[in-house]
Amino acid sequence: MPALQKTPRVSVIIPTYNCDRYIVEAINSVLAQKDVDFEILVVDDGSTDRTREILEDYGDWATPTGEADRIHYIYQKNRGVAAARNLGINMARGEFVSFLDADDFFLRGKLAAQVAVFDEQPNLGLVHSGWRRVDSNGIYEMDVCLWEKVPELTLENWLTWKPVLPSAMMFRREWLEAVGGFDSRF
């Protein structure tokens, strides 16, 4: 009888399109997360660069740490980032969904810190954090802590400051499913 797979607490969805230069760093930043069970779903949105070739080393059959079935590579014809995120949501098994753009990376402890907020406040559907801006070579530019400039999130402040970065967000999966995911027209 096959062993039952453990359901991950967090599904990390990495939509990618022609990001062969950055994808390894993105994946490795997730693999470096501690104190939380996760799976990684890389959704390749029709890349024409070396993305697929690079990701073959991370196939479902093995990861760099030898943990089978932790990283999933999914290919779709180019339909846009919203469609790629939606495909990831549909395939996610975790209680929570965290997005990571392929040219971004997580700082250590990011997943565990956000899960801890959900555990402390079970009524929440979304936990958002600040982020660190770096240039294309990974050189630090600044930390973005929008709550310092926008302490109250009103519609006007939302439209003025656009305090959204998908790579800084974690959602309860059921909330994403309830709203139907992302609008793929945008």
Side-chain angles (χ1 to χ4, degrees), residues 42-71:
V42 179
V43 183
D44 185 345
D45 189 39
S47 294
T48 58
D49 63 1
R50 295 183 54 244
T51 296
R52 185 181 198 115
E53 178 184 333
I54 289 168
L55 292 175
E56 286 176 357
D57 291 338
Y58 291 102
D60 289 350
W61 54 92
T63 68
T65 57
E67 300 169 74
D69 205 35
R70 195 168 197 187
I71 301 176

Side-chain angles (χ1 to χ4, degrees), residues 87-156:
L87 180 55
I89 293 166
N90 290 338
M91 299 188 76
R93 298 180 301 134
E95 176 183 359
F96 303 108
V97 171
S98 186
F99 297 102
L100 177 61
D101 289 343
D103 61 347
D104 291 344
F105 57 88
F106 286 160
L107 296 178
R108 289 186 188 271
K110 184 250 197 228
L111 295 180
Q114 287 183 311
V115 167
V117 173
F118 278 112
D119 288 344
E120 291 170 13
Q121 300 181 57
N123 60 320
L124 296 178
L126 163 69
V127 174
H128 196 295
S129 67
W131 60 88
R132 179 163 289 163
R133 253 177 50 200
V134 298
D135 67 15
S136 62
N137 295 310
I139 306 299
Y140 171 84
E141 291 181 348
M142 66 183 283
D143 286 334
V144 178
C145 305
L146 287 172
W147 55 89
E148 294 173 353
K149 293 181 182 179
V150 188
E152 184 179 353
L153 190 56
T154 63
L155 180 58
E156 180 182 354

Side-chain angles (χ1 to χ4, degrees), residues 8-16 23 25-34 36-43 70-74 84-85 87-89 91-102 104-107 110-112 114-115 166-171 173 176:
R9 192 85 197 272
V10 179
S11 295
V12 178
I13 298 170
I14 304 176
T16 186
I23 191 68
E25 183 175 20
I27 291 171
N28 288 342
S29 78
V30 180
L31 292 173
Q33 299 295 307
K34 305 291 182 214
V36 66
D37 292 322
F38 60 85
E39 68 177 347
I40 301 171
L41 300 130
V42 179
V43 183
R70 195 168 197 187
I71 301 176
H72 309 278
Y73 174 74
I74 304 126
R85 287 186 180 123
L87 180 55
I89 293 166
M91 299 188 76
R93 298 180 301 134
E95 176 183 359
F96 303 108
V97 171
S98 186
F99 297 102
L100 177 61
D101 289 343
D104 291 344
F105 57 88
F106 286 160
L107 296 178
K110 184 250 197 228
L111 295 180
Q114 287 183 311
V115 167
S167 294
M169 303 170 116
M170 184 182 286
F171 297 85
R173 182 169 46 101
L176 284 171

